[in-house]
Amino acid sequence: MSFEEQYREVAISCFRYLGFTSFEQVDRLTIAQYEIMMEALRYRIVDDEYRAHRQAFLNFAAQAQKKSGKKTVPVYKRFRNFFDYEKELKNVKEKKHKKSDPRFVGISKLLKKGGRTDGRIL
């Protein structure tokens, strides 16, 4: 593929997917930046698909029924049984006041060692 063809493909992607509005923006973009932006776009697409599938699942779950004797009744009689909004707000508030997120404890320890696994400073 020639340089002109590659530039055209990058420019089209920038205009179509990344919200660029001018060729000046495309010209200032480095290859590394473009690759990162396109990778982020792919993640965003997966996230959008996840939300759509989750919504489809929740629509199905909200209509779920169970047998009660000879008849069927809804599994969730009240919306709160399906989704407890107040409980979720409380969880968010409690997490906000936590000192550290357990997902980042390892990174924190590594940074305290100066980025080296043997404890020496770089």
Side-chain angles (χ1 to χ4, degrees):
M1 185 181 288
S2 72
F3 174 78
E4 288 81 17
E5 291 169 331
Q6 287 177 339
Y7 180 83
R8 179 181 170 81
E9 292 298 316
V10 167
I12 289 172
S13 294
C14 288
F15 293 130
R16 184 174 183 186
Y17 302 117
L18 304 176
F20 284 32
T21 57
S22 72
F23 284 102
E24 290 174 353
Q25 291 173 301
V26 176
D27 293 342
R28 288 193 305 257
L29 192 64
T30 67
I31 292 172
Q33 290 170 333
Y34 172 76
E35 289 175 351
I36 290 170
M37 293 173 96
M38 291 304 290
E39 182 177 355
L41 171 68
R42 290 190 292 275
Y43 280 115
R44 190 177 332 125
I45 290 169
V46 171
D47 291 343
D48 290 345
E49 289 175 356
Y50 169 80
R51 282 190 284 282
H53 284 83
R54 186 168 190 268
Q55 184 62 52
F57 176 80
L58 291 174
N59 290 345
F60 177 77
Q63 296 175 19
Q65 295 190 347
K66 62 182 176 182
K67 283 197 172 196
S68 177
K70 292 185 179 183
K71 62 181 181 176
T72 58
V73 295
V75 172
Y76 305 104
K77 294 185 183 202
R78 292 196 168 101
F79 180 73
R80 189 179 323 142
N81 298 71
F82 183 67
F83 182 79
D84 191 339
Y85 181 72
E86 297 300 325
K87 180 181 172 185
E88 294 301 321
L89 288 177
K90 183 179 175 184
N91 288 340
V92 169
K93 188 175 183 178
E94 288 174 3
K95 288 181 183 179
K96 182 179 178 183
H97 295 293
K98 277 187 177 179
K99 209 166 196 181
S100 65
D101 190 331
R103 295 175 297 172
F104 302 116
V105 171
I107 294 171
S108 174
K109 288 178 183 177
L110 184 63
L111 289 173
K112 286 177 184 174
K113 289 181 179 181
R116 303 270 310 238
T117 56
D118 60 5
R120 294 186 301 169
I121 296 174
L122 293 174

